[in-house]
Amino acid sequence: EEAAAQGLVAGANAAATALSRLGMAPLPPSIVGRGASYLGVLVDDLTRRGTSEPYRMFSSRVEHRLSVRPDNADQRLTAAGELAGLVDSARALIARQRGDRTDRAIAALEDARMGAAAWAVAGLDNAPAGKSGRTVSAAELLAIPGVGYARVARALAAAGESTASGGIDASDDSVDASNDFHRAASSPGELARAATILAAVAEADPTAAEEATVECYYAPYLARQRRDIETMRKEEAMELPMDLDYDAVGGLSAEDREKLKEFRPATLAAAQRISGVTPSAAIALLRFVAAQKLRRGTMRGLAVDAGRGQTAKRAPGRIR
């Protein structure tokens, strides 16, 4: 499969070069970029890092693995594939229509908000009742296992009707709508409109409704992934202790430990450039070393405080 992937990229680029006079262009970064696809990770690993053994693709090599999932491959790659001449216009049109419906569903899910009590009255008692009293969106509910698209759509339809007739109070008295963290509950019209959109999307293309559900489910994990990647970019210059005990670092594979022990990289950036060291291993290193530094800083602060206390006890009283 890895060899076939290389052949696909090489063949497409060779054809684009041969047909450049007809306006064809090589595969764009939206296909072969490291954050765009497994193809991109493979190309980047082999051309930038190299390999001393047969290359195998593992999900641990991909720092964006929650974004480059099989279920959203058509939305990530079809448009760029059409530009590269790899996808015909009929298939590209289907992908665009599916993407538009998915976007409409996600927007409706994110905008439909009620308090936990209101969701329970509407038939969904899974809404987390946070201490802050914040309202919960339908999209957030779909991130909870066991809550499906159809249940949320039915709850919104029921809430829209009951709220309009005064049967459900979608708001939460403890919510301060002036605070950006707290968003006010949706109006009856907004709830009913969201329910209508969700029903229309599910009827027109059930796969679009399924994709919207999956995107909402992964949203919290994608947010953490983005934070991890951004932190990695900022902390590439972080120094790694030369006596670092890699056996004590959790989340490393046997291959990761073997390579790191062999090369003993001085910085996080150097560790990332070692062939065989995965992005997930680099994130594990970052967290481990940062935790060690924080622990040492805390212990140093306690020691300083203890020293000040002893000095204060020994200090002579002031003569009055």
Side-chain angles (χ1 to χ4, degrees), residues 18 26 51-52 56 64 75 121 148 157 159 196 260-261 268 277 298 306 311 315:
T51 181
S52 57
R56 297 294 292 169
H64 301 269
Q75 296 304 306
V121 173
T196 301
L260 291 167
K261 288 178 180 178
L268 197 59
V277 174
T298 302
T311 302

Side-chain angles (χ1 to χ4, degrees), residues 22-307:
L22 300 179
M24 295 294 292
L27 293 179
S30 52
I31 288 183
V32 294
R34 188 173 185 91
S37 66
Y38 278 79
L39 282 175
V41 173
L42 179 144
V43 171
D44 185 69
D45 280 351
L46 293 179
T47 58
R48 189 167 63 91
R49 299 183 181 185
T51 181
S52 57
E53 53 196 30
Y55 182 89
R56 297 294 292 169
M57 173 55 69
F58 300 108
S59 60
S60 59
R61 295 185 186 274
V62 188
E63 56 267 52
H64 301 269
R65 56 188 171 276
L66 292 181
S67 306
V68 292
R69 308 184 309 273
D71 62 89
N72 66 5
D74 64 328
Q75 296 304 306
R76 288 186 287 109
L77 304 174
T78 302
E82 182 185 20
L83 292 175
L86 299 175
V87 177
D88 62 53
S89 57
R91 179 178 172 184
L93 176 60
I94 293 173
R96 280 196 295 273
Q97 291 174 337
R98 182 183 183 216
D100 291 342
R101 293 186 181 113
T102 300
D103 291 342
R104 286 184 62 211
I106 292 175
L109 289 164
E110 290 176 341
D111 290 340
R113 308 186 68 90
M114 292 192 289
W119 279 114
V121 173
L124 277 175
D125 55 2
N126 306 69
K131 295 180 180 179
S132 59
R134 62 189 290 269
T135 57
V136 181
S137 73
E140 291 173 286
L141 280 178
L142 286 177
I144 301 173
V147 179
Y149 185 98
R151 285 186 65 195
V152 169
R154 287 195 298 269
L156 287 174
E161 295 174 2
S162 299
T163 305
S165 62
I168 295 180
D169 181 7
S171 64
D172 190 324
D173 292 338
S174 63
V175 171
D176 175 14
S178 64
N179 188 332
D180 287 340
F181 178 73
H182 300 295
R183 288 182 56 187
S186 302
S187 68
E190 290 171 334
L191 294 174
R193 185 161 54 251
T196 301
I197 292 173
L198 295 183
V201 168
E203 182 177 358
D205 186 353
T207 62
E210 182 180 352
E211 183 170 342
T213 302
V214 174
E215 289 295 333
C216 291
Y217 179 81
Y218 277 107
Y221 306 102
L222 288 169
R224 178 180 177 180
Q225 175 184 271
R226 286 191 291 270
R227 290 195 298 270
D228 284 343
I229 293 172
E230 185 59 31
T231 301
M232 284 291 297
R233 288 172 180 161
K234 292 180 179 177
E235 300 292 342
E236 283 187 334
M238 173 185 281
E239 295 184 357
L240 302 178
M242 295 307 294
D243 60 347
L244 179 61
D245 181 7
Y246 290 106
D247 290 325
V249 182
L252 298 182
S253 68
E255 182 183 7
D256 290 329
R257 288 194 172 89
E258 179 184 348
K259 296 288 186 179
L260 291 167
K261 288 178 180 178
E262 178 183 354
F263 291 96
R264 290 281 168 183
T267 65
L268 197 59
Q272 291 178 278
R273 289 193 293 269
I274 298 174
S275 175
V277 174
T278 62
S280 59
I283 292 175
L285 279 177
L286 169 63
R287 290 175 177 165
F288 182 81
V289 175
Q292 278 194 325
K293 288 183 177 180
L294 179 62
R295 194 178 301 115
R296 284 197 296 268
T298 302
M299 295 302 294
R300 192 179 299 114
L302 291 174
V304 170
D305 290 341

